[in-house]
Amino acid sequence: MGVFALWSTLALTLVSQISFSSAYFPLEARGTNIDGTLPVYKNAHASIEDRVNDLLPRMTVDEKVSQMYGDIDGWMDMSDPLDDTLTFNETGLEEMMLQKGGSIWAGYLAPWDKIVYAITVGQKYLMENTTLGIPALVQTEGLHGFTDNGTTWPSPIGMAASFNPGLLQQAAAVIADEAEGLGYSQAFAPVLDLSRELRWGRVEENFGEDAFLTGEMGHAYVTGLQTGRRRNASSTAIARMASTCKHFAAFGSPQGGLNIAQVSGGERELRTNFLKPFNRACVESLSIMTAYSSYDGIPAIANLHLLTEILRQEWGYQYWVTTDAGSVDLLITTHGTCDTRECAAKTAIENGLSGEMGGGTYTYLTLPDQVKAGTVDIKFIDETVKAMLRTKFSLGLFENPYPYDDYRSTLRRPETRPLLHQMESESIVLLENHNATLPLNKNIDSIALIGPQVDRVSFGDYVFFNATLNGISPLTGFQQLLANTSVKVNYAQGSELWSNDESGFAAAVSATQASDVAVVMVGTWSLDQTLLWTPGTNATTGEHVDLSDLGLVGAQLSLVQAVKATGKPTIVVLVSGKPVAEPWIQEHADAVVQQFYPGELGGLAIAEVIFGDVNPSGKLPVSFPRSVGTTPVFYNYLKGSRPIDPGQVLDNGQLTFGHQYVLDTPVPMWSFGHGLSYTTFSYTDLSLSHPAIGTTGDFNVSVTVHNTGDVEGKEVVQVYMTDLVSSVVTPNQQLVGFQKIGLQAGASQTVSINVNISQLAVWTLNNAWVVEPGVFTVKVGTSDQIFLSTNLTVA
């Protein structure tokens, strides 16, 4: 037996031997029925709603409030991510479970056996030593992988570039597998904010700028994470993990791109853009997290219209809603809508019907006294706790809240690797390929690998300490791919990501001159969650890392220019968490490839794309501006919002003046949906199932796709629509459907894509969704190319 396996076995043995010094909450009639029969809430065969309604009246005010928050560090020392001490603080456990024992943050990095021990101790105490035996909802992160040494997948913006919801659903299922075995029951993901404000540091956490794509990818993630049932759970359980959609709502478009800053907009913009992904993906999710920011001057966590009237009443959402860490305190410290903890707790619970995530000062601890004083009506707490209980019963936690004995079998399984490899490959986007520079031939003599991203594993944020040790750098990936060839790899870093120092340029130029071709890898960088929040460290993307300039930092652009000046074919790979605004690279590089922050196999995947072992099939989920001054640059702007009379600054410094903009253009370098292939595709025979429909019928868009090139490839068929005349201003175009297909060289396939009639609706002046009669243009192509188009008439 290995050392790790031995420790794991000891951990489970230690837990099984725990007996607490006394029953702090001795059993009494509230945990049974007066006649001795089994309470409905303990009946695994009763309906979820019956169990909720039976349990809630048995609870005291303190027990109800305790359901709303918690933190595993109340009984465990989680300060050292490498510490493996299997002991707990019994006094801390008693206090935590008395006041904060229902919604427990446990997303700390720690050895797996310590996590298993900690969660088992907590759940065992709740189940066996409290009056009602209510298990905790145990929380962790799951943005692009289970963060406690689980498999790291590409960042969400990269997974969105795959345009493959089915693949994402499988990835999410793996994330659930890895977390579930350790005893976690809630994952804080997916993020459904829209990447329409590119200065914001958290662009990498989103599925892009488009509400439809974000909704489809979010729905796939929620489905993959939740589908199934925990072992030995009740037959009425409907999920094995609570997916937590965030941040509700409009969080990703803060003023100035500054994290948690105000978001400006009205009801129509809220519904037309920001709420659509949540409505598609999250009505069946078992949890939702609110946003830090305010919208139209109202803090999101205390927005009655957003959280009660829309989410609860209009959408009928019935599950757990929680604030983000420290959000309730922000009503006092940031938003200035309260001056006391009592006010903040009252405002949040009455307007949001939400719990309070750990990370703040547990402002909800003021609620029991406020109920007793009559300043807070218990009905708001009751409705909030009912939602929590509904989520717990839906997960089957009352039957089995514990980690699994064989949890190691669910973590980092070999069968996950092919799925991860496919996601890595499909997330890479070929942006430019002049004169068919790519793919490279393995018969070349040598290749120069240049740049600060070559010998680096660049993961996005929300990975934990030392996660990059599981990754393959591009340098290693190229070396592995070329190991059985005669191709020589000449590597020179050239510069740092974060420095203007050009002293390494000479070595980079020399390596390039000694090679047949150069691949220059530059971009942005993020840090793991430990370093990202450590003073004195640097990053250019991630939470609380916002940018005023979207160009390359330091000497990176000059390095690309120095390599290109050698005259050797130069391929630029942008490794980043958001669009990089460098028109010079678009105009001068022989080929440009975008790799949003990858997962563990990203270094191998980029090598395979460069040498043609993999045909790139990714498409941009976000548009690339020419400079920060030309943002916002999202493709689906309202009609009339992008007049074009551009100017420019030529390479020789000559100025050509325009008006929109004087010395630039609002047209993006690469627009949403763009992505090239090593083969070519053509489209024929566009047709609609019904060229004329009523205002209540869906329809299908059919088109035949032909692989007209010499190699197999995957294509994303994209359908866009324009409402030609409407009662309010509508987008110049809007994605309404897509499907990814694979075709052998010379093959054809007819694709039929269903379009839901709701995609045609507008939020009218009467504040209602209406499908208005009129003519709609339907096109197949990308956001900046039309392959085929036709008209749809709505009568």
Side-chain angles (χ1 to χ4, degrees):
M1 182 180 291
V3 173
F4 185 83
L6 177 62
W7 268 108
S8 301
T9 302
L10 287 173
L12 291 171
T13 302
L14 285 169
V15 169
S16 68
Q17 296 173 349
I18 292 171
S19 61
F20 300 104
S21 58
S22 63
Y24 297 100
F25 302 91
L27 291 173
E28 55 195 55
R30 290 188 301 115
T32 62
N33 288 334
I34 295 175
D35 61 3
T37 59
L38 185 74
V40 172
Y41 85 89
K42 292 184 177 181
N43 181 355
H45 303 292
S47 73
I48 290 173
E49 211 58 26
D50 285 347
R51 299 179 79 178
V52 170
N53 291 331
D54 180 67
L55 176 53
L56 186 71
R58 299 171 185 265
M59 300 173 71
T60 67
V61 173
D62 288 329
E63 287 168 337
K64 291 174 182 177
V65 173
S66 179
Q67 284 295 300
M68 298 185 191
Y69 38 34
D71 200 305
I72 203 169
D73 72 355
W75 68 93
M76 299 292 298
D77 180 1
M78 307 303 292
S79 60
D80 182 353
L82 302 180
D83 174 68
D84 202 16
T85 304
L86 302 183
T87 60
F88 71 95
N89 181 321
E90 190 166 335
T91 302
L93 179 67
E94 175 190 1
E95 181 181 350
M96 178 63 66
M97 297 314 184
L98 176 64
Q99 295 185 320
K100 305 183 283 289
S103 176
I104 295 178
W105 171 247
Y108 295 95
L109 179 65
W112 292 336
D113 59 330
K114 184 174 181 179
I115 289 293
V116 167
Y117 177 85
I119 292 175
T120 306
V121 165
Q123 297 287 31
K124 183 179 175 72
Y125 182 91
L126 287 168
M127 296 293 284
E128 299 179 7
N129 284 70
T130 64
T131 302
L132 296 173
I134 303 173
L137 196 62
V138 183
Q139 305 157 336
T140 187
E141 298 289 354
L143 192 64
H144 50 118
F146 168 58
T147 51
D148 202 340
N149 201 30
T151 304
T152 300
W153 298 78
S155 283
I157 195 170
M159 293 193 284
S162 74
F163 272 70
N164 193 335
L167 188 58
L168 177 58
Q169 183 172 328
Q170 294 178 71
V174 171
I175 295 170
D177 287 341
E178 295 190 333
E180 177 189 346
L182 290 170
Y184 291 102
S185 48
Q186 181 180 10
F188 287 168
V191 173
L192 300 177
D193 304 318
L194 299 182
S195 300
R196 294 162 70 86
E197 172 47 84
L198 299 178
R199 293 172 291 179
W200 189 48
R202 304 181 74 171
V203 167
E204 70 202 61
E205 299 178 25
N206 308 338
F207 293 128
E209 70 187 36
D210 179 71
F212 182 79
L213 174 64
T214 297
E216 293 304 301
M217 300 304 280
H219 182 266
Y221 184 98
V222 170
T223 302
L225 197 81
Q226 295 193 166
T227 297
R229 184 179 291 134
R230 291 182 56 80
R231 299 178 192 174
N232 302 316
S234 61
S235 60
T236 57
I238 61 173
R240 60 184 177 135
M241 182 76 64
S243 182
T244 306
C245 297
K246 58 183 189 177
H247 305 88
F248 196 73
F251 185 49
S253 295
Q255 181 175 287
L258 299 172
N259 196 45
I260 81 168
Q262 70 172 69
V263 181
S264 300
E267 184 79 2
R268 183 167 293 101
E269 184 169 8
L270 180 70
R271 290 180 177 271
T272 301
N273 294 309
F274 302 125
L275 293 186
K276 279 187 176 180
F278 287 93
N279 183 259
R280 166 62 174 145
C282 304
V283 172
E284 299 302 323
S285 72
L286 294 186
S287 181
I288 286 175
M289 179 181 285
T290 57
Y292 283 123
S293 56
S294 63
Y295 185 81
D296 194 24
I298 302 175
I301 70 163
N303 192 323
L304 179 70
H305 178 56
L306 180 65
L307 297 178
T308 299
E309 294 176 352
I310 294 178
L311 181 62
R312 298 293 191 182
Q313 297 172 3
E314 185 179 323
W315 294 3
Y317 188 74
Q318 56 184 336
Y319 299 110
W320 179 237
V321 175
T322 180
T323 67
D324 207 338
S327 286
V328 182
D329 289 349
L330 296 187
L331 295 178
I332 304 169
T333 62
T334 300
H335 301 303
T337 56
C338 281
D339 58 357
T340 65
R341 285 162 52 79
E342 288 76 11
C343 169
K346 173 182 171 66
T347 303
I349 195 73
E350 291 184 352
N351 292 282
L353 299 178
S354 60
E356 179 182 10
M357 183 192 164
T361 60
Y362 296 109
T363 310
Y364 275 16
L365 288 173
T366 64
L367 288 176
D369 286 342
Q370 292 199 75
V371 171
K372 293 173 187 175
T375 57
V376 170
D377 192 324
I378 190 64
K379 70 179 182 182
F380 297 108
I381 294 174
D382 283 349
E383 287 304 309
T384 304
V385 173
K386 284 174 69 174
M388 164 58 87
L389 297 177
R390 196 173 287 119
T391 290
K392 289 181 177 180
F393 284 122
S394 296
L395 290 167
L397 293 180
F398 280 76
E399 286 64 54
N400 181 21
Y402 300 110
Y404 302 151
D405 291 351
D406 62 343
Y407 65 86
R408 292 188 309 279
S409 68
T410 69
L411 284 147
R412 305 191 63 80
R413 293 176 297 187
E415 51 265 41
T416 296
R417 307 308 276 181
L419 185 65
L420 172 62
H421 196 173
Q422 183 182 352
M423 180 62 86
E424 304 277 17
S425 301
E426 293 198 22
S427 296
I428 294 173
V429 187
L430 178 60
L431 298 176
E432 299 283 349
N433 194 19
H434 302 296
N435 300 316
T437 300
L438 292 177
L440 300 181
N441 195 306
K442 291 178 183 174
N443 292 327
I444 62 175
D445 292 327
S446 57
I447 179 174
L449 298 180
I450 309 296
Q453 291 282 20
V454 172
D455 193 20
R456 176 186 175 89
V457 175
S458 282
F459 291 158
D461 69 348
Y462 281 92
V463 295
F464 276 30
F465 185 64
N466 281 345
T468 55
L469 297 179
N470 293 323
I472 296 174
S473 71
L475 179 59
T476 300
F478 276 97
Q479 290 169 339
Q480 289 181 359
L481 184 69
L482 300 174
N484 297 319
T485 73
S486 60
V487 180
K488 181 182 179 182
V489 174
N490 297 314
Y491 164 62
Q493 179 173 314
S495 73
E496 298 286 357
L497 286 166
W498 46 78
S499 172
N500 287 313
D501 183 7
E502 298 184 1
S503 61
F505 280 23
V509 168
S510 178
T512 301
Q513 291 171 333
S515 306
D516 296 320
V517 62
V519 176
V520 189
M521 302 190 68
V522 292
T524 62
W525 71 99
S526 190
L527 296 172
D528 65 51
Q529 285 304 100
T530 299
L531 294 176
L532 192 65
W533 295 89
T534 299
T537 58
N538 61 63
T540 53
T541 70
E543 185 173 3
H544 85 300
V545 182
D546 309 314
L547 293 174
S548 63
D549 190 335
L550 297 175
L552 291 170
V553 171
Q556 292 184 85
L557 178 59
S558 297
L559 176 63
V560 175
Q561 293 169 332
V563 171
K564 176 62 179 174
T566 65
K568 295 297 178 75
T570 300
I571 300 149
V572 176
V573 177
L574 301 172
V575 182
S576 67
K578 63 172 59 180
V580 173
E582 290 292 0
W584 191 95
I585 290 176
Q586 180 199 34
E587 295 161 5
H588 295 89
D590 295 283
V592 185
V593 179
Q594 174 65 41
Q595 185 178 39
F596 294 109
Y597 293 141
E600 295 178 16
L601 298 179
L604 178 60
I606 191 63
E608 291 173 331
V609 165
I610 294 296
F611 276 95
D613 291 55
V614 169
N615 190 351
S617 62
K619 306 290 183 181
L620 288 181
V622 61
S623 302
F624 277 52
R626 294 178 57 83
S627 72
V628 72
T630 64
T631 60
V633 74
F634 46 81
Y635 83 95
N636 52 348
Y637 55 89
L638 296 185
K639 296 170 188 171
S641 297
R642 192 167 290 172
I644 300 170
D645 179 13
Q648 66 180 126
V649 182
L650 302 180
D651 283 349
N652 63 7
Q654 179 181 336
L655 304 180
T656 301
F657 289 93
H659 297 88
Q660 286 91 23
Y661 290 102
V662 170
L663 291 173
D664 213 330
T665 173
V667 177
M669 292 191 293
W670 302 291
S671 190
F672 175 88
H674 172 78
L676 305 178
S677 172
Y678 294 151
T679 191
T680 54
F681 299 97
S682 67
Y683 290 72
T684 62
D685 305 317
L686 174 64
S687 65
L688 305 178
S689 58
H690 305 287
I693 62 173
T695 58
T696 58
D698 298 346
F699 63 96
N700 289 333
V701 179
S702 297
V703 67
T704 301
V705 186
H706 311 265
N707 183 340
T708 55
D710 298 327
V711 296
E712 179 185 2
K714 295 178 180 178
E715 172 72 331
V716 178
V717 182
Q718 304 170 49
V719 178
Y720 295 83
M721 180 169 292
T722 301
D723 187 348
L724 297 183
V725 179
S726 50
S727 62
V728 298
V729 183
T730 53
N732 74 99
Q733 59 179 325
Q734 194 74 42
L735 182 72
V736 294
F738 63 90
Q739 184 176 329
K740 193 167 196 174
I741 61 171
L743 287 175
Q744 297 288 334
S748 301
Q749 180 179 334
T750 298
V751 177
S752 183
I753 296 175
N754 178 260
V755 179
N756 189 288
I757 192 67
S758 65
Q759 294 292 99
L760 281 62
V762 297
W763 187 255
T764 66
L765 295 171
N766 294 323
N767 293 320
W769 286 113
V770 176
V771 177
E772 298 179 334
V775 178
F776 296 76
T777 296
V778 178
K779 78 165 187 176
V780 174
T782 67
S783 69
D784 60 355
Q785 281 186 294
I786 299 175
F787 300 151
L788 296 170
S789 67
T790 188
N791 284 339
L792 169 75
T793 299
V794 176

